[in-house]
Amino acid sequence: MKRSLLVVAFLIVLGTVTGCNGYNTNEDKEVSEDTYNSKMVDIQKQTSSEIYAMDTVMNIAYYAADDKLMKNLIDKIEELEADFSVSLPTSDIYKLNMQSEVRVSEDTKELVNKAIGLCKETKGALDITLYPVIAEWGFIDDKYEVPTKDTLSNLLKYVGYKTIDVKQNTIAIPKGVQIDLGSVAKGYLGDELSSMLEAENIDSAILNLGGNIQTIGKKPDGTLWAVGIQNPTAEDYVAVVEVDNKAVITSGIYERYFKGEDGNYYCHIIDPATGMPVNNELASVTIIGESGVRCDALSTALFVMGLQEAENFWRQNKDFEAVFITKSNEIYFTKGLSNNINIIDEDLKVGVIE
Ligand code: ADP
Ligand code: MG
């Protein structure tokens, strides 16, 4: 039931459609010589590509004619997927979950270290050892089922990021503990790809990694990137945020969920304190900030916290902006966004968090 929601937003932003698993290099129309300086951008080329990785559709577009760079970016996506996958028997995480201690790549070590830091910072609202619980609910193999209370309390004994031991070249976890980097992997990937683009002096690019948007610089015409925020209950957008050099990452109840035999809906974000899918007033949380991995982690964690605690977390940190949409048609955004958010849906009640 996973929907690739922000792909449409990406197309709005870009105004182009990309080819499938191929690179597209479009030469924009030539401009006359006297407008050359002001229209430098018009004669640049755009390279774009759509690929399927990490269980989702990804789009990459940057303003330069450089196919080799695109190949390197796609190689990096495949390399990280091969490290982080929970289902690929050769991945670091799969082996770790089977064997309790394994040698891991630098990237795996770095992401696990960063993730542990974020688990700590969010007081366990994020917990990358929830895998046994997530699997029991059926979110890994799509065989959805509501576990019994006993099953959940047994599995929760194996949940706890503090048990992860990151050593020099290996990671160790106790028997029964299992890691899932699904809440942070795409954010980390966004940071890695952004660094690679910047290292090649690309100053205008946009990545859509399955709804995780990462922007590099501004649009080629010098204006800000416009990123749509999904309506949690329909295939359209309730708001648009304008950003440059930022990640815009959303976690929502609508991304993956199922209806249990009891008639209740269960979403794919789990409260580590109870093992239950989150069911609070929030329908979605969008985090906007410099670091993809931090925004990805916080979109999940603040969702778990609920609105009140999430607002307090923002007040204590303020190194990011946030947009919260509630199940009762309210939208709250942090005050730093005031000049850069456009609320499209006029039926939403609007609140500013200060
Ligand atoms: P998505 O990647 O689907 O856009 P998230 O970034 O919010 O959404 O990550 C959700 C994924 O993280 C879930 O599919 C699950 O694998 C895992 N997960 C669910 N709840 C938590 C949690 N509290 N802490 C860490 N990981 C979680
Ligand atoms: Mg996340």
Side-chain angles (χ1 to χ4, degrees):
M1 234 185 254
K2 179 109 181 159
R3 293 192 277 149
S4 190
L5 293 162
L6 282 165
V7 172
V8 184
F10 179 74
L11 295 179
I12 293 172
V13 166
L14 265 167
T16 59
V17 180
T18 61
C20 209
N21 279 332
Y23 317 150
N24 264 352
T25 303
N26 307 322
E27 187 154 11
D28 288 344
K29 63 178 190 306
E30 292 282 344
V31 291
S32 65
E33 196 138 344
D34 55 311
T35 56
Y36 184 83
N37 284 331
S38 59
K39 291 282 179 65
M40 272 296 267
V41 67
D42 284 355
I43 58 165
Q44 281 188 0
K45 288 179 177 176
Q46 181 202 309
T47 307
S48 59
S49 184
E50 178 175 293
I51 65 160
Y52 188 83
M54 295 187 177
D55 207 19
T56 190
V57 179
M58 300 186 173
N59 287 278
I60 298 174
Y62 52 83
Y63 288 85
D66 188 343
D67 284 348
K68 185 162 175 290
L69 173 58
M70 185 61 84
K71 186 184 175 305
N72 292 340
L73 296 174
I74 291 173
D75 285 351
K76 188 70 191 179
I77 295 174
E78 286 167 357
E79 181 195 327
L80 292 184
E81 176 168 37
D83 282 346
F84 303 154
S85 166
V86 281
S87 52
L88 199 70
T90 50
S91 85
D92 285 350
I93 297 303
Y94 186 97
K95 286 190 282 186
L96 179 59
N97 288 344
M98 292 294 154
Q99 295 165 27
S100 297
E101 177 159 4
V102 295
R103 206 183 163 84
V104 296
S105 72
E106 277 301 313
D107 280 311
T108 304
K109 184 176 160 183
E110 192 183 333
L111 177 53
V112 169
N113 267 331
K114 284 187 171 163
I116 292 172
L118 287 151
C119 293
K120 244 182 228 152
E121 197 187 333
T122 60
K123 299 195 168 68
L126 185 81
D127 195 315
I128 56 168
T129 60
L130 264 178
Y131 185 74
V133 175
I134 294 165
E136 189 66 31
W137 281 96
F139 287 111
I140 305 298
D141 58 6
D142 294 350
K143 292 189 182 124
Y144 303 115
E145 206 177 336
V146 181
T148 65
K149 283 215 157 59
D150 278 355
T151 308
L152 277 184
S153 59
N154 273 328
L155 291 174
L156 282 172
K157 290 179 194 148
Y158 299 102
V159 174
Y161 65 90
K162 289 178 185 157
T163 62
I164 305 170
D165 188 2
V166 181
K167 303 182 185 177
Q168 190 64 30
N169 299 311
T170 64
I171 297 179
I173 46 177
K175 204 171 164 21
V177 173
Q178 294 190 307
I179 291 180
D180 160 33
L181 299 175
S183 58
V184 286
K186 284 179 282 164
Y188 181 84
L189 172 62
D191 290 337
E192 290 299 300
L193 299 182
S194 298
S195 305
M196 289 171 72
L197 286 156
E198 278 155 13
E200 293 299 320
N201 298 316
I202 303 290
D203 55 12
S204 179
I206 184 158
L207 314 172
N208 180 353
L209 311 175
N212 280 20
I213 306 292
Q214 200 122 353
T215 62
I216 288 101
K218 295 192 170 85
K219 282 198 286 188
D221 66 3
T223 61
L224 297 171
W225 296 102
V227 179
I229 295 181
Q230 172 72 31
N231 183 341
T233 54
E235 292 280 347
D236 60 4
Y237 298 93
V238 295
V240 173
V241 289
E242 292 190 317
V243 294
D244 61 345
N245 278 318
K246 297 277 186 315
V248 181
I249 297 182
T250 302
S251 288
I253 41 170
Y254 53 84
E255 285 177 328
R256 198 191 285 262
Y257 62 91
F258 73 98
K259 189 176 179 181
E261 278 170 11
D262 55 8
N264 295 325
Y265 286 94
Y266 296 100
C267 78
H268 72 143
I269 297 176
I270 308 271
D271 183 346
T274 60
M276 293 294 290
V278 171
N279 184 15
N280 56 28
E281 68 279 79
L282 293 172
S284 77
V285 176
T286 300
I287 307 290
I288 299 153
E290 306 271 321
S291 151
V293 69
R294 182 168 171 78
C295 291
D296 202 359
L298 293 185
S299 73
T300 310
L302 271 60
F303 196 94
V304 173
M305 290 177 194
L307 187 57
Q308 199 67 50
E309 208 184 319
E311 285 185 21
N312 289 336
F313 186 92
W314 174 77
R315 287 190 188 99
Q316 282 153 18
N317 288 276
K318 293 198 175 168
D319 62 327
F320 62 92
E321 303 295 339
V323 182
F324 303 97
I325 299 173
T326 70
K327 289 173 183 163
S328 40
N329 287 321
E330 300 154 316
I331 184 165
Y332 296 95
F333 59 83
T334 52
K335 75 163 189 265
L337 283 175
S338 301
N339 296 326
N340 296 93
I341 188 164
N342 225 325
I343 316 270
I344 302 166
D345 185 341
E346 289 171 357
D347 295 334
L348 286 178
K349 186 176 159 258
V350 183
V352 183
I353 300 167
E354 352 200 353

